[in-house]
């Protein structure tokens, strides 16, 4: 994996490389540092609309780098309450700060157990080492 | 090409040490990017970048009959080339389909260096072997004993001057040889970026030293090591076809806009008869598209007013224009429209038909 791809342990990770940081009711979703590094320069993103429903593990948007397009998955189910307009306007934020300023959208989760099936930072880092 | 026989550049360890991400291309493992495709692309457009292009085939064809023998295969009448000049040309099949696009450099009266696509090297050697031995012409594959670097961008002369590499006033595809700090160099004014650029061939053992020296010499003017990712976005902006994407054995020089690479007067070559016959029936031309939104990728469909569709042959994000750009074969009749619709993953986007080059602000167009 790319050097410097750091995965904070204050959040959980889905195998398609999205993270979610949750307070039990609401979750903020972003792209993992590993994925941001692997995709290279991100130039365009399409996020779910505010108010729309997202379903855990299902496609909810797109991330385009110079060379390729990838599907964005929601790691949790719920209703989208906000999108990061800064990341839409300046997708390079996702490369420069995947864990913080480059977050993607926020969800009012369907339940407090939405993150139960997701990986810890430790497990996710071990998982991407196998890719 | 099986994975056990993947080919590697002599500079692989060095590339990894300076942070390259590697990719597989035409059977070779080569750098796709170092600092990021966008920054590498812009370094070449605005200042200078250096690429390892050792995957390109280098074939030395020599002998008293070399010019006559090559002339039967290439669309270029190489007997017309002065020593130390060269040209872009093609190898056609009997249906005038494009088997290869290449650069031929005349290094001496009886010696030509062919720069060929990595994926077609074996095929070109086979074609040459079908005519060369009988005329006493020899073929030497120097791909694995040499390294080839491309130094591209408006400020590349400054870097080469500083290193003491002589470029003189070489014209486009002009070439020269020299000894640089104990290493034999072949320099050609060539590239695939649309900017002023030179390609340098050096014995493999000197390759890493040359790359390091180039990077060091350009440090003050923002030189970046560049990978195949930027090479592809740069060439797509210029509308240069990539063999295997935009040209192949089923496409012809007329529809690909490559007739400039064909010498048809007083020159007999493979595929000429078919080419002359079909040129009168040309119905498609390789066109450049600039997207109003979205990024079309290879294989996405362009919807035409009559209900038919054609595929995008190359599509990428343009770091210079900050939008999606694409190449596709459009019917000649479509050129009366200013735009077409492109379907990208189920959504329609408008693309302007802009011709080639798509990016028109390059330094000297090579």
């Amino acid at each position: 994996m790319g050097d410097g791809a750091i995965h904070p342990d204050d959040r959980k990770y889905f195998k398609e490389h999205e993270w979610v940081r949750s307070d039990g009711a609401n979750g903020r979703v972003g792209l993992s540092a590993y994925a941001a590094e692997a995709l290279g320069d991100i130039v365009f993103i399409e996020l779910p609309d505010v108010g729309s429903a997202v379903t855990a593990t299902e496609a909810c948007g797109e991330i385009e780098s110079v060379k390729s397009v990838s599907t964005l998955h929601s790691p949790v189910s719920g209703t989208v309450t906000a999108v990061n307009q800064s990341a839409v306007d300046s997708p390079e934020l996702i490369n420069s700060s995947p864990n913080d300023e480059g977050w993607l959208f926020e969800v009012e989760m369907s339940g407090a157990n939405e993150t139960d099936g997701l990986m810890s930072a430790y497990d996710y880092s071990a998982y991407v080492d196998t890719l | 090409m099986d994975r056990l026989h993947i080919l590697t550049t002599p500079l692989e360890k060095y590339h990894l040490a300076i942070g390259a991400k590697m990719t597989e291309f035409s059977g070779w493992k080569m750098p796709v990017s170092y600092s990021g495709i966008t920054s590498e692309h812009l370094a070449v457009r605005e200042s200078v970048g250096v690429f390892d292009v050792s995957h390109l085939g280098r074939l030395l064809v020599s002998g008293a009959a070399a010019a006559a023998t090559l002339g039967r295969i290439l669309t270029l009448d190489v007997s017309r080339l002065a020593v130390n000049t060269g040209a872009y040309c093609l190898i056609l099949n009997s249906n005038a389909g494009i088997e290869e696009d290449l650069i031929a450099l005349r290094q001496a009266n009886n010696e030509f260096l062919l720069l060929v696509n990595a994926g077609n090297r074996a095929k070109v050697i086979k074609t040459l072997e079908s005519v060369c031995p009988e005329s006493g012409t020899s073929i030497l594959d120097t791909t694995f004993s040499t390294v080839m670097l491309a130094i591209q961008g408006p400020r590349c002369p400054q870097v080469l001057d500083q290193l003491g590499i002589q470029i003189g006033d070489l014209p486009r595809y002009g070439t020269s040889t020299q000894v640089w700090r104990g290493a034999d160099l072949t320099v050609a004014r060539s590239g695939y970026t649309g900017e002023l650029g030179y390609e340098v061939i050096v014995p493999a053992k000197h390759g890493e030293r040359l790359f390091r020296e180039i990077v060091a010499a350009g440090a003050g003017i923002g030189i970046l090591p560049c990978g195949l990712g930027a090479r592809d976005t740069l060439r797509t902006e210029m509308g240069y076809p990539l063999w295997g994407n935009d040209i192949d054995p089923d496409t012809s020089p007329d529809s690909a806009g490559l007739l400039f690479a064909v010498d048809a007067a007083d020159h007999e070559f493979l595929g000429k008869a078919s080419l002359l016959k079909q040129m009168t029936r040309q119905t498609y031309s390789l066109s450049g598209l600039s997207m109003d939104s979205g990024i079309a990728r290879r294989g996405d469909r362009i919807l035409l007013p009559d209900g038919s569709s054609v595929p995008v042959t190359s599509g990428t994000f343009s770091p210079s224009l900050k939008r999606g750009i694409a190449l596709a074969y459009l019917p000649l009749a479509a050129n009366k429209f200013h735009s077409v619709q492109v379907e990208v993953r189920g959504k329609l986007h408008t693309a302007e038909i802009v011709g080639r080059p798509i990016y028109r602000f390059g330094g000297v167009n090579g």
Side-chain angles (χ1 to χ4, degrees):
Chain A
M1 62 172 278
D3 296 333
I6 297 159
H7 304 121
D9 61 7
D10 61 353
R11 60 197 79 189
K12 292 196 146 183
Y13 296 82
F14 179 52
K15 66 176 171 62
E16 299 292 345
H17 310 293
E18 294 83 6
W19 54 256
V20 56
R21 198 174 71 207
S22 142
D23 63 7
N26 296 290
R28 174 176 276 193
V29 175
L31 193 68
S32 78
Y34 167 82
E37 161 80 15
L39 286 175
D41 296 340
I42 295 169
V43 294
F44 177 78
I45 58 170
E46 188 172 292
L47 299 177
D49 293 332
V50 172
S52 68
V54 289
T55 305
T57 78
E58 288 189 3
C60 66
E62 288 180 343
I63 298 189
E64 296 226 33
S65 67
V66 174
K67 295 306 295 173
S68 64
V69 57
S70 313
T71 301
L72 174 68
H73 300 81
S74 184
V76 292
S77 296
T79 303
V80 176
T81 55
V83 298
N84 183 359
Q85 195 58 41
S86 299
V88 173
D89 295 339
S90 305
E92 62 272 18
L93 264 186
I94 303 164
N95 291 114
S96 61
S97 181
N99 294 321
D100 298 303
E101 290 163 59
W103 64 276
L104 298 175
F105 61 94
E106 290 177 335
V107 185
E108 184 183 337
M109 297 192 298
S110 303
N113 57 357
E114 278 294 323
T115 61
D116 285 359
L118 298 172
M119 284 179 264
S120 68
Y122 181 86
D123 289 345
Y124 176 73
S125 294
Y127 163 68
V128 297
D129 277 340
T130 67
L131 299 180
Chain B
M1 186 73 57
D2 71 65
R3 294 192 161 268
L4 292 175
H5 294 94
I6 195 91
L7 302 168
T8 56
T9 164
L11 274 62
E12 183 181 14
K13 275 187 185 158
Y14 171 68
H15 293 314
L16 291 170
I18 62 169
K21 280 188 224 171
M22 307 297 281
T23 191
E24 194 182 321
F25 178 76
S26 293
W28 287 73
K29 194 165 137 199
M30 296 299 293
V32 63
S33 73
Y34 303 78
S35 51
I37 292 172
T38 305
S39 56
E40 293 165 28
H41 178 111
L42 296 176
V44 171
R45 286 271 180 261
E46 291 162 10
S47 183
V48 56
V50 54
F51 303 75
D52 178 359
V53 289
S54 297
H55 61 299
L56 296 178
R58 299 175 284 289
L59 306 175
L60 200 57
V61 178
S62 55
T69 308
L70 276 178
R72 287 163 56 192
I73 293 176
L74 307 181
T75 57
L76 174 71
D77 180 4
V78 291
S79 67
R80 289 195 307 106
L81 288 178
V83 171
N84 288 332
T85 69
Y88 173 82
C89 59
L90 308 170
I91 297 174
L92 305 183
N93 58 34
S94 57
N95 297 319
I98 301 171
E99 291 290 339
E100 171 63 339
D101 67 331
L102 69 154
I103 292 168
L105 303 173
R106 189 170 206 169
Q107 296 195 295
N109 200 36
N110 292 329
E111 190 170 286
F112 295 86
L113 180 63
L114 307 184
L115 306 176
V116 306
N117 284 293
N120 287 337
R121 195 181 89 257
K123 181 173 78 176
V124 173
I125 291 173
K126 205 171 159 191
T127 304
L128 292 171
E129 281 175 344
S130 70
V131 294
C132 284
E134 66 195 48
S135 69
T137 305
S138 68
I139 308 157
L140 182 64
D141 182 355
T142 62
T143 308
F144 300 99
S145 59
T146 59
V147 156
M148 181 164 162
L149 306 182
I151 303 99
Q152 305 278 304
R155 299 182 80 176
C156 69
Q158 194 176 324
V159 173
L160 295 169
D161 283 347
Q162 192 177 326
L163 290 176
I165 295 173
Q166 307 298 320
I167 50 174
D169 52 359
L170 287 181
R172 177 78 167 143
Y173 298 123
T175 183
S176 68
T177 55
Q178 60 196 279
V179 178
W180 175 78
R181 299 181 192 173
D184 290 318
L185 295 191
T186 294
V187 178
R189 186 176 149 198
S190 54
Y192 197 41
T193 62
E195 300 297 335
L196 176 63
Y198 297 84
E199 290 175 307
V200 180
I201 299 166
V202 63
K205 64 178 178 181
H206 297 294
E208 182 181 326
R209 176 166 66 103
L210 179 60
F211 199 108
R212 284 178 186 275
E213 296 266 1
I214 290 169
V215 170
I221 55 171
I223 196 171
L224 288 180
C226 300
L228 296 187
R231 196 163 184 265
D232 191 55
T233 53
L234 288 158
R235 72 90 193 168
T236 307
E237 286 185 351
M238 298 313 296
Y240 297 156
L242 172 63
W243 198 93
N245 271 35
D246 312 296
I247 52 176
D248 61 34
D250 293 323
T251 59
S252 62
D254 48 334
S255 35
L258 296 177
L259 288 177
F260 71 88
V262 179
D263 286 335
D266 304 321
H267 173 223
E268 294 305 319
F269 57 91
L270 199 57
K272 180 181 174 182
S274 294
L275 178 62
L276 293 181
K277 211 179 297 171
Q278 74 185 36
M279 270 168 54
T280 58
R281 303 193 302 258
Q282 186 194 343
T283 49
Y284 287 85
S285 73
L286 187 61
S287 302
L289 301 170
S290 174
M291 311 278 297
D292 288 356
S293 61
I295 303 168
R297 307 287 181 177
R298 177 171 164 76
D300 285 341
R301 302 302 297 189
I302 295 169
L303 309 181
L304 299 169
D306 67 358
S308 64
S309 71
V310 293
V312 167
T313 53
S314 287
T316 188
F317 179 79
S318 160
S320 300
L321 300 171
K322 307 286 180 209
R323 56 176 57 216
I325 57 171
L327 294 172
Y329 284 92
L330 297 183
L332 291 179
N335 288 311
K336 68 173 180 269
F337 304 104
H338 297 294
S339 64
V340 287
Q341 296 290 302
V342 187
E343 188 175 340
V344 180
R345 295 181 303 285
K347 277 187 204 155
L348 290 182
H349 298 271
T350 300
E352 312 295 329
I353 302 173
V354 295
R356 295 186 289 157
I358 299 169
Y359 174 75
R360 295 165 188 275
F361 312 103
V364 293
N365 197 4

